[in-house]
Structure formats: C-alpha cells, structure tokens
Amino acid sequence: MTHPFLDLAPLSAAQFASIEDRVARLLDTRQDVVIMQGEALLPLEGAIRGTAGPGTTALNVITGPYGQTFGDWLRDCGATVIDLAVPFHTAVTAAQISEAFAEHPEIDFVSLVHAEAATGNTNPVAGIGEVVRAHGALFYLDAVASIGAEPVLPDAWGVDLCVIGAQKAMGGPAGVSAVSVSERAWARMAANPRAPRRSYLSLLDWKQRWIDGGRRTLLHAPAQLEMLALEACVQRIEAEGLETVMARHAAAAAATRAGALALGGGLEPYVHDAAEAAPVATTLRTPSGVDASAVVARALSLDPTLPLAAGGGALAKEMIRVNHYGADATPETVRRCLAALGAAMTHEDIHRVTEC
C-alpha cells in the first residue's frame, strides 16, 4: 500500500535549482537565492550570525517582536546594537533612519522587519533602502510576512539579505524558507571569522558547496515534500498573477478595517494609519475593559476554522489579529471573521477587570 506523499523519487539538484530560480523571479532579483531546509527562523538567524560580529555596529529597528529578537542575536554575536523602537501601532520612517545615521555614523548594518504580522504594521522599505544605500550600511530585511501580500524587491531597494517564508501570504509550507544574498553580503560573511561554517546555520556552506559548484550537488538530503509544496505554491502564484494575489490581500485588509469600525462596539484598527497597516494581517484594538483573548476564544467557539488570534504577551488583553493571508485573503473569510467577532463582542464573559 502506498501513499501520494510517500515513495517519491528523490528530488534532484536540477529541480532544487529550478525552484530557487522561480523564487528569484518572484523577488525580481538577480542576487543568489538560497532555499534553506527549515522554517524562516533558520535563514533569519543564519544571515545575522554570518554577517555580524564584534566589529559590527548595527541599527536594529523594532516595530514588533521580531525586531526585538534580531537585537538579541546581534548582541550575542558581539555587535554593538543601537535599537530604534517605534510604537507598535505605527511604522518607522526613512527620516528616523537618517537621523540615526547622523547620530551614529559608525553604523554599518541595518536590520528591519518589512511587515510585522504580529502587530499589523508595515514599514516603507523603498524609502528606507535609499537612505541605507546612501550611508553604505549592509541592509538585512525580514520579508517573511510581506512576500505575496505586498511588493518585495530586494534589488530595487538595495537589500543585501532578504529572508522570505512561504507559510503566510504565499499560502505555502512552513518547513522551507529562502534568502537572497548580495555580493556585498557574501563578502562580509567570507571576512567574518565568526560566520557559521560546517553548520546548519551556515549560508557560506551553501555558497561554497552549492552555488560555487554550479548547483550540481546538494549539501544534504532536501526536505522533499516541503520543496514540492514550495514549488506548487509558487506555481499557483504565477498562474494567478502576483499583482492579483497582492490585490486580494490589500482588499482583505481594507475590508477588515472598514468592517471592524462598522460593527460598532468599540473595535478599532490597532494601526492608526491605513497606509502603515500590513496587508497580510489586520490587528484590532478592543475597547477598555474588554479582554481580547476572551473575544477571540468566544469567536472561535462559534467557528473554530476562523483565522483569528489574540495578540502575543501583554497584547493578548487588547489586540485581536485577523490573519487574512494566503487562501484566507478573501471577502468571505473577512465577512465570517467580522460576523463572529461582532457576536462575541456582545457576550458577557469578554469583560476583564480594569486594574486601578
């Protein structure tokens, strides 16, 4: 007895390389693209550890929880870290980046999250990229949540390390991820004695043993099912058209913001300015005294399939996330989410005691 997911022929190096090429076209990049065999945290950490060290002065932009994580990794590498934190209900600006460079001209590395699905904001990478390029710093971008929901253009924006994952707007698997790497970033890694080598975190291993070898011999057995799923989701985006996929996400975000306000009851967009709101997911703030976690729990009791979640950590009391990405970037999903939230907001168990 067999199964369509089992007993498959091994994934060849040629097919692996062809999937990398399709991802490169999705990013409209001529940089090297490496597909890593793990969730996006793998290349996110690998890229930082490959390019940062005791001689690095990093500007770490914090617009959500992932920015905080990147600062921890940079410090662990021995880098001097200058954190630029902005309120989670807004976005960082190119002017703020420019001011940081003026105050700290020694900055040679910038880390930024494009879209923070956890907080619902998105940052203006095109303008920020111009400022970073003029300063000459290496530019590291987490585009895991934004790819497929809004433009991600590492070459046009001057991004040296652009990490993506397929599990959100692309509607693909979580078990593989990718990073585009500029020549400047490769040179920084090669000169970094602390860059991981002979390690699962190592991008240099992929450069030296895969890319420089003509992409003929894989480093290790690939995650075959995840690679085939990645190929399938890229094919689906190609067939639908990337512009159409992004338009679906933008429409879902706009409908969620408008619908939440139309519900009444005090729900409002967490990100104040619609231009700073991520199309991949919309965050909503509950009114004072209303527990967001209880609202989400009640809504999910009405329909467990809804892509709803409470905010993480301290935000769990006040933030609701509507994760309208991938297959859920549709008017019907938004309608169902809003209907359940509206019903949940009237339930007596959603109120929390306000601390004095």
Side-chain angles (χ1 to χ4, degrees), residues 94-121:
Q96 289 173 302
I97 303 294
S98 185
E99 289 166 8
F101 286 151
E103 188 174 349
H104 300 279
E106 69 276 17
I107 291 170
D108 61 359
F109 185 100
V110 175
S111 54
L112 175 70
V113 178
H114 187 186
E116 285 270 12
T119 49
N121 54 33

Side-chain angles (χ1 to χ4, degrees), residues 86-328:
V86 302
F88 289 176
H89 64 259
T90 187
V92 72
T93 67
Q96 289 173 302
I97 303 294
S98 185
E99 289 166 8
F101 286 151
E103 188 174 349
H104 300 279
E106 69 276 17
I107 291 170
D108 61 359
F109 185 100
V110 175
S111 54
L112 175 70
V113 178
H114 187 186
E116 285 270 12
T119 49
N121 54 33
T122 191
N123 292 301
V125 182
I128 291 170
E130 290 183 13
V131 175
V132 175
R133 186 163 51 235
H135 185 76
L138 203 74
F139 193 9
Y140 163 101
L141 184 69
D142 171 355
V144 173
S146 52
I147 182 67
E150 55 188 306
V152 177
L153 302 166
D155 291 13
W157 296 343
V159 178
D160 296 288
L161 295 155
C162 183
V163 178
I164 66 169
Q167 69 267 33
K168 288 187 167 67
M170 288 178 66
V176 288
S177 48
V179 54
S180 65
V181 187
S182 73
E183 289 299 324
R184 290 200 320 150
W186 285 131
R188 180 81 71 98
M189 285 185 225
N192 181 8
R194 293 194 175 197
R197 291 166 170 83
R198 295 170 296 282
S199 163
Y200 207 60
L201 282 171
S202 176
L203 284 167
L204 278 176
D205 286 358
W206 284 96
K207 166 70 170 168
Q208 295 165 357
R209 297 171 53 193
W210 170 244
I211 295 171
D212 291 349
R215 298 194 300 176
R216 293 186 178 88
T217 305
L218 289 161
L219 274 65
H220 44 70
Q224 179 165 341
L225 293 179
E226 288 81 359
M227 288 295 296
L228 293 175
L230 175 61
E231 182 179 43
C233 90
V234 175
Q235 287 173 336
R236 187 167 60 183
I237 291 171
E238 292 170 346
E240 184 177 355
L242 179 58
E243 293 295 329
T244 302
V245 175
M246 292 190 293
R248 278 200 293 107
H249 285 82
T256 304
R257 289 177 67 89
L261 291 172
L263 278 177
L267 272 184
E268 59 183 24
Y270 188 87
V271 178
H272 297 174
D273 188 342
E276 297 177 342
V280 69
T282 297
T283 48
L284 304 172
R285 188 189 301 273
T286 54
S288 177
V290 174
D291 190 320
S293 294
V295 173
V296 169
R298 182 63 184 169
L300 290 177
S301 74
L302 301 173
D303 186 349
T305 68
L306 294 175
L308 295 173
L315 295 174
K317 292 183 179 180
E318 63 179 20
M319 179 190 285
I320 295 170
R321 279 173 43 195
V322 183
N323 295 316
H324 46 65
Y325 52 69
D328 287 323

